[in-house]
Amino acid sequence: MEILGEWVRGWAVSRATPPPVPEPDGYRVDVGLPGHRVRYLLRSPSAVPARAASVAAPGTWLKTCGSRSDVVAALTPAWTAGETEYLMAFEGPQPPVAVPPGYEVTVSGDGPAWDVLVSAAEAPAARGRVAVAGGVAVFDKIETSPEHRRRGLGRVVMHRLSEAAEADSSALLASAAGRGLYGALGWRVVSDVVPAHVPEGAA
């Protein structure tokens, strides 16, 4: 699943981690943060049993493409599964969107990563980041403050990030809530992604 590699390479740029290391069943990223020491991206649930048994150190994460039931069934008790996420793709630029009255947009960065901030009365209202790796734009950290939702600000952020990146292909990993926004913008789901981790401090 090449889009998995495209996404994780851009994610590593966005999060300023070391580049992902190819593994036989996917990729490894040595994140190095408390509670998130290392992350494995697996192409298939068939890789989960071996990984769940062999890398179950505190602060380790698995993100696996495939059926939630298959992934969860293969985890050992050390692992805590999270809500299903969605690996999504888009071809071409994001459609232009007008900025609603009362909001200002700031774009910062000069590549390979850019940030967009939408503000109202100098207070943050929405934001996001895009990082380009291998010619693919990876969208990350897209969020809108609760009091500013349902005003089209997410679309504004996506459009301005797309403008900055100038890439023909894009990828992102969406939550269930984000999937609706991106789907309305024409993004397609490539795969369900099931996250699981061993909590820091676990025996």
Side-chain angles (χ1 to χ4, degrees), residues 93-98 139 154-164:
Q94 291 291 292
V97 180
F139 290 72
R155 293 170 179 260
V156 171
V157 170
M158 296 294 287
H159 168 58
R160 293 300 180 89
L161 290 173
S162 177
E163 272 192 330

Side-chain angles (χ1 to χ4, degrees), residues 1-177:
M1 185 176 295
E2 182 53 33
I3 188 174
L4 181 65
E6 294 170 346
W7 173 79
V8 72
R9 285 189 285 271
W11 183 89
V13 172
S14 175
R15 302 297 178 103
T17 73
V21 178
E23 299 269 353
D25 51 7
Y27 300 87
R28 185 188 82 245
V29 183
D30 297 314
V31 180
L33 296 175
H36 197 161
R37 306 294 179 179
V38 61
R39 167 184 287 213
Y40 292 89
L41 290 305
L42 306 179
R43 297 188 185 93
S44 167
S46 64
V48 175
R51 288 295 186 180
S54 64
V55 300
T60 300
W61 283 76
L62 297 179
K63 293 211 173 192
T64 306
C65 295
S67 159
R68 181 177 184 86
S69 59
D70 290 345
V71 173
V72 172
L75 295 172
T76 67
W79 295 88
T80 299
E83 295 296 322
T84 302
E85 299 169 332
Y86 303 91
L87 185 60
M88 304 184 74
F90 188 88
E91 301 298 324
Q94 291 291 292
V97 180
V99 181
Y103 291 95
E104 294 184 352
V105 180
T106 303
V107 182
S108 57
D110 55 4
W114 294 263
D115 292 286
V116 166
L117 174 65
V118 181
S119 56
E122 300 185 359
R127 66 179 74 231
R129 170 173 290 184
V130 67
V132 177
V136 177
V138 172
F139 290 72
D140 190 26
K141 298 185 175 181
I142 312 297
E143 59 181 344
T144 302
S145 300
E147 64 271 25
H148 295 281
R149 290 174 182 167
R150 301 187 182 278
R151 300 179 188 180
L153 300 185
R155 293 170 179 260
V156 171
V157 170
M158 296 294 287
H159 168 58
R160 293 300 180 89
L161 290 173
S162 177
E163 272 192 330
E166 296 184 323
D168 292 330
S169 299
S170 303
L172 58 77
L173 190 64
S175 64

